[in-house]
Amino acid sequence: KLMCSRIILFFLLCLLSHSSLSQVNIMGKPGYINTPTAGWFEDRPVGLTFAFMPGDYSQFKNELTDVYFYNLRGSFTSFFEVNFTIAHRPVRAKLNNLGIGDRHLDIRFRLLKETETRPGIVLGLTPPGSAAPYLSHDYLVLTKRISIGSGVMELTSGYGSPFVFIKRPNANSIFDYSIERKSTTNLKADYLTGFFAGFSYSPIQFGGLMLEFDSNTINGGVYLRPWQWLNLQAYTYEGKDWGLNAAFNMSLDFPPKSLRKYAKTMD
């Protein structure tokens, strides 16, 4: 019941805004299922995303329990974006009397805008000092969209760093970090470690198929846009378990109510 009320709250918030199309991953940024793309929201929207990940495929390798992701994304310029994530594990929170969950912040830089002849390129970084180093990911990704006779195809490839910055115990300086592999005993994390790739195909404007290799597993699913402001996705991990997400994307650049009313009378 609590989870349903949270999803409904997201839904109501987004009904109040005008939005654009989008497809995002579990971490709330342009992507497929787990993997990101070099996609960009040209109208600089704010995005709210809810995603469910089954425990057997959780990034938290030290405790494989179901994870609910709540994401808030903001594009401040045409080349800079910030994403804030809360990863809530209900089982762990109940047993250990924890708070809302692990917090994570990451940023994206658009290095090259996609054109008809070249792919878009995006650099994703996790600032040192993340409260949830399990979710840390630093990557470079390329994406190219190709129009074909029966729809639009999108191809993506990228590489994620296997290293992460970890603050030293009892550090006296904010710059006192060590560089460790994500797969170390303490972290046991492997999110976007090494090569990853993705593919989507949209035979219609409001839906399509997607497939990815997230550097560990092969996942696939479908996505649907019943309205311009809402994107729904359902997917499977290796055909063994399932997940889903709902993304609401709001534009902050829309005319006042009086102008919108006038525009309707002109249509």
Side-chain angles (χ1 to χ4, degrees):
K1 292 182 179 179
L2 180 59
M3 187 56 58
C4 289
S5 64
R6 290 172 177 172
I7 296 175
I8 292 173
L9 177 59
F10 271 139
F11 180 82
L12 292 176
L13 286 174
C14 296
L15 280 177
L16 302 177
S17 64
H18 170 75
S19 317
S20 62
L21 298 178
S22 73
Q23 183 185 348
V24 301
N25 63 16
I26 59 168
M27 300 288 280
K29 34 184 172 293
Y32 303 114
I33 302 170
N34 287 358
T35 56
T37 70
W40 205 267
F41 299 96
E42 298 295 340
D43 53 357
R44 290 171 274 178
V46 169
L48 295 172
T49 306
F50 166 79
F52 166 75
M53 169 176 276
D56 287 343
Y57 292 90
S58 167
Q59 292 103 325
F60 299 88
K61 299 304 178 183
N62 61 333
E63 190 172 339
L64 297 178
T65 58
D66 293 348
V67 185
Y68 298 113
F69 290 98
Y70 301 90
N71 306 287
L72 173 63
R73 182 189 64 254
S75 299
F76 296 99
T77 71
S78 61
F79 60 87
F80 176 69
E81 186 175 82
V82 175
N83 189 78
F84 177 71
T85 297
I86 293 176
H88 178 63
R89 292 179 282 173
V91 173
R92 186 167 184 260
K94 184 176 180 179
L95 292 177
N96 300 316
N97 194 28
L98 297 178
I100 57 176
D102 293 280
R103 281 85 64 197
H104 173 79
L105 179 72
D106 61 85
I107 54 180
R108 300 172 73 236
F109 296 94
R110 181 159 69 172
L111 304 183
L112 195 64
K113 185 176 180 179
E114 180 182 355
T115 67
E116 292 185 4
T117 58
R118 71 186 185 205
I121 302 178
V122 164
L123 175 68
L125 298 172
T126 298
S130 172
Y134 307 92
L135 300 176
S136 295
H137 49 283
D138 304 302
Y139 62 89
L140 187 70
V141 61
L142 294 77
T143 297
K144 185 72 179 76
R145 292 171 61 86
I146 303 172
S147 295
I148 57 179
S150 56
V152 178
M153 180 173 59
E154 182 178 271
L155 302 173
T156 294
S157 63
Y159 182 82
S161 171
F163 301 99
V164 63
F165 288 92
I166 302 294
K167 194 168 186 178
R168 299 180 190 275
N170 304 317
N172 296 320
S173 170
I174 59 174
F175 302 104
D176 193 2
Y177 292 94
S178 62
I179 300 178
E180 299 183 20
R181 283 189 171 272
K182 294 181 182 180
S183 57
T184 60
T185 303
N186 291 333
L187 287 178
K188 295 183 180 179
D190 56 6
Y191 181 56
L192 294 186
T193 300
F195 171 79
F196 61 88
F199 163 84
S200 70
Y201 172 62
S202 304
I204 53 179
Q205 290 186 348
F206 55 87
L209 308 173
M210 55 189 171
L211 185 69
E212 69 172 21
F213 172 67
D214 66 3
S215 74
N216 292 287
T217 64
I218 295 177
N219 316 311
V222 297
Y223 58 92
L224 180 68
R225 300 186 185 104
W227 295 281
Q228 287 190 337
W229 46 266
L230 176 63
N231 185 88
L232 302 173
Q233 295 181 192
Y235 35 83
T236 177
Y237 291 92
E238 298 184 305
K240 299 177 181 178
D241 217 331
W242 63 275
L244 56 86
N245 79 32
F248 310 94
N249 300 284
M250 303 171 289
S251 175
L252 301 180
D253 183 20
F254 57 92
K257 182 177 180 180
S258 58
L259 291 180
R260 299 200 304 271
K261 184 177 180 180
Y262 174 76
K264 289 182 179 180
T265 62
M266 299 295 292
D267 291 340

